[in-house]
């Protein structure tokens, strides 16, 4: 595939610092952070690259004292900007400040409508703070989306969590799949759900979208749940877009294909964003993935030309091999 001139979507882990210590967090303890001026310079470069969507995440972005300035600077550049947060730090005052930045959406991590299940990985006292933070955001008329990371302890209650979100007034709901990075690697055995459970959760989401037609409900990346037999056609290929239409930025300015893949493509302290995007070898590897080199069950699968092997980040994390099978695909072959 030829190199796309510009990315559409950029994930930016603005910090790996956080007020919580969740069991499944994939932050890698990067201490070095970009200064406010460096962050503005990157936003200038992203603006010049015509990106459409910027998600600022962490860690917890709200621990940075300059976060409101950074968000406003991005919004002033006419970049659609999303803040990803655990919402425990969102007081009335913080919500008001966020509303003044021009931010498009605040995405809040909520792992369950059951307080005990949510706090199992995020810590005692976090549930009430998160719900209060969500309500403060809604009081300021901000767009709020909820994202749930699907794990073994909460996947069976995804329907109830979605119902709870709807009753709160949320109209955007998505799920994320666990990836074996950071603390998730240490706690993998008791956190990781089975591929079959993930596929079942995807079907629940699809059915719920019919129940709530005014709510946007989806996995963040459809392919991460394995191939849906109804979507096995090339005009709707559920493939990974990492390095093709999107990429990630780490707290120290390192650019990667996505937030889950740690292989560096370059660093914005010394390289220009657009030069990294167009020329980095790891991006070329993603864009020109050779499905004939896929291994394991992916090598035998009749759908590999469509899905391109699913999630390469999961294959790298679990097997250390770019061409290994996606460990979470529900298909047996």
């Amino acid at each position: 595939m030829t190199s796309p001139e510009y990315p559409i979507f950029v994930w930016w882990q603005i910090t790996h610092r956080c007020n919580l210590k969740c069991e499944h967090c994939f932050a890698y303890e990067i201490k070095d952070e970009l200064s406010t001026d460096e962050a503005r310079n990157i936003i200038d470069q992203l603006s010049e690259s015509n990106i459409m969507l910027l998600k600022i995440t962490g860690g917890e972005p709200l621990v940075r004292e300059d976060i409101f300035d950074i968000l406003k600077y991005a919004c002033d550049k006419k970049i659609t900007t999303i803040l990803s947060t655990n919402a425990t730090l969102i007081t009335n005052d913080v919500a008001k400040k966020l509303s003044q930045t021009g931010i498009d959406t605040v995405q809040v991590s909520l792992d369950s409508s059951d307080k005990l299940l949510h706090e199992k990985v995020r810590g005692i006292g976090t549930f009430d703070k998160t719900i209060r933070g969500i309500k403060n955001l809604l009081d300021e008329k901000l767009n709020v989306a909820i994202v749930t990371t699907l794990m073994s302890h909460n996947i069976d209650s995804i329907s109830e969590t979605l119902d709870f979100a709807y009753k709160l007034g949320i109209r955007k709901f998505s799920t994320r799949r666990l990836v074996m990075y950071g603390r998730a690697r240490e706690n993998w055995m008791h956190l990781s759900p089975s591929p079959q459970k993930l596929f079942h959760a995807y079907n629940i989401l699809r059915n719920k979208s019919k129940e709530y037609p005014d709510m946007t409900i989806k996995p963040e990346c459809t392919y991460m749940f394995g191939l849906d037999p109804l979507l096995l056609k090339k005009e709707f290929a559920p493939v990974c877009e990492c390095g093709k239409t999107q990429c990630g930025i780490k707290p120290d300015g390192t650019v990667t294909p996505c937030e889950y893949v740690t292989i560096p493509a370059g660093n914005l302290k010394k390289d220009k964003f657009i030069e990294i995007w167009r020329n980095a070898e790891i991006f070329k590897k993603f864009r020109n993935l050779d499905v004939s080199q896929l291994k394991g069950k992916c090598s035998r699968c009749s759908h590999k030309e469509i899905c391109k092997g699913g999630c390469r980040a999961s294959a790298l994390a679990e097997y250390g091999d770019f061409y290994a099978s996606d460990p979470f695909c529900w298909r047996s072959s």
Side-chain angles (χ1 to χ4, degrees):
M1 133 179 216
T2 58
S3 174
E5 189 175 7
Y6 303 114
I8 295 172
F9 180 26
V10 173
W11 308 69
W12 188 355
Q13 290 172 290
I14 201 80
T15 182
H16 275 174
R17 289 182 289 141
C18 189
N19 60 316
L20 305 183
K21 196 171 183 178
C22 303
E23 278 193 315
H24 66 299
C25 184
F26 58 84
Y28 317 122
E29 304 298 331
I30 293 176
K31 305 295 185 184
D32 186 20
E33 291 181 6
L34 298 165
S35 68
T36 305
D37 286 341
E38 287 172 329
R40 287 181 180 142
N41 178 263
I42 288 174
I43 291 168
D44 288 339
Q45 292 187 53
L46 296 178
S47 177
E48 291 165 6
S49 300
N50 296 317
I51 72 157
M52 296 174 62
L53 185 62
L54 173 64
K55 178 184 279 190
I56 293 183
T57 179
E60 173 49 59
L62 290 172
V63 303
R64 280 192 64 137
E65 294 180 357
D66 60 357
I67 190 61
F68 303 107
D69 292 334
I70 290 172
L71 291 171
K72 188 174 188 308
Y73 193 81
C75 293
D76 287 347
K77 291 287 182 177
K78 309 303 180 185
I79 300 173
T80 300
T81 305
I82 297 171
L83 175 72
S84 181
T85 174
N86 61 46
T88 59
L89 300 177
I90 299 180
T91 60
N92 289 325
D93 184 55
V94 169
K96 189 176 294 294
K97 287 180 179 178
L98 286 172
S99 71
Q100 294 167 352
T101 64
I103 194 170
D104 181 81
T105 301
V106 180
Q107 185 183 68
V108 177
S109 297
L110 180 70
D111 291 326
S112 179
S113 57
D114 184 313
K115 181 175 180 176
L116 291 178
L117 292 180
H118 178 82
E119 294 186 351
K120 184 170 183 176
V121 293
R122 294 188 180 268
I124 295 172
T126 56
F127 182 82
D128 290 340
K129 290 178 181 178
T130 294
I131 300 306
R132 185 164 58 248
I134 291 171
K135 290 179 178 179
N136 288 335
L137 292 167
L138 292 172
D139 286 344
E140 290 296 326
K141 311 302 181 186
L142 282 156
N143 292 323
V144 181
I146 280 180
V147 60
T148 297
T149 300
L150 294 174
M151 293 172 275
S152 57
H153 71 284
N154 70 354
I155 196 166
D156 291 330
S157 60
I158 188 61
S159 181
E160 291 82 358
T161 301
L162 197 151
D163 291 339
F164 177 78
Y166 191 87
K167 289 174 184 176
L168 275 176
I170 304 301
R171 293 299 178 265
K172 291 183 180 179
F173 184 93
S174 63
T175 55
R176 302 182 74 173
R177 191 177 72 169
L178 198 65
V179 178
M180 193 192 283
Y181 283 130
R183 294 191 202 102
R185 180 177 293 278
E186 302 167 19
N187 300 299
W188 192 249
M189 293 304 292
H190 76 270
L191 288 181
S192 177
S194 69
Q196 291 74 25
K197 289 267 190 179
L198 284 166
F199 184 60
H200 179 63
Y202 173 45
N203 283 323
I204 288 174
L205 295 180
R206 184 171 57 188
N207 292 332
K208 281 290 182 179
S209 67
K210 299 173 185 175
E211 183 179 343
Y212 298 128
D214 60 333
M215 189 181 202
T216 301
I217 303 170
K218 66 181 183 68
E220 272 194 324
C221 296
T222 304
Y223 74 87
M224 281 191 167
F225 290 81
L227 291 171
D228 181 341
L230 298 177
L231 304 178
L232 292 182
K233 49 187 180 179
K234 289 188 178 179
E235 59 265 33
F236 193 96
V239 298
C240 173
E241 291 300 321
C242 295
K244 300 168 188 171
T245 63
Q246 64 187 51
C247 65
I249 302 173
K250 299 297 183 185
D252 62 355
T254 298
V255 178
T256 63
C258 76
E259 60 180 346
Y260 299 117
V261 175
T262 57
I263 299 171
N267 189 284
L268 294 169
K269 287 185 176 180
K270 57 185 178 65
D271 304 311
K272 293 294 184 182
F273 175 80
I274 200 62
E275 292 174 1
I276 296 173
W277 173 258
R278 292 175 178 170
N279 302 317
E281 289 302 316
I282 185 59
F283 285 160
K284 292 177 183 177
K285 190 170 184 177
F286 270 84
R287 292 164 191 162
N288 302 304
L289 187 144
D290 182 356
V291 295
S292 69
Q293 295 188 49
L294 290 172
K295 301 175 183 177
K297 65 182 182 181
C298 283
S299 67
R300 304 183 298 272
C301 184
S302 58
H303 302 297
K304 65 184 179 183
E305 292 288 347
I306 300 174
C307 78
K308 311 298 183 186
C311 181
R312 295 299 85 207
S314 288
L316 277 166
E318 188 138 351
Y319 304 116
D321 187 340
F322 184 80
Y323 286 101
S325 295
D326 181 342
F328 273 137
C329 181
W330 63 271
R331 297 188 64 86
S332 58
S333 64

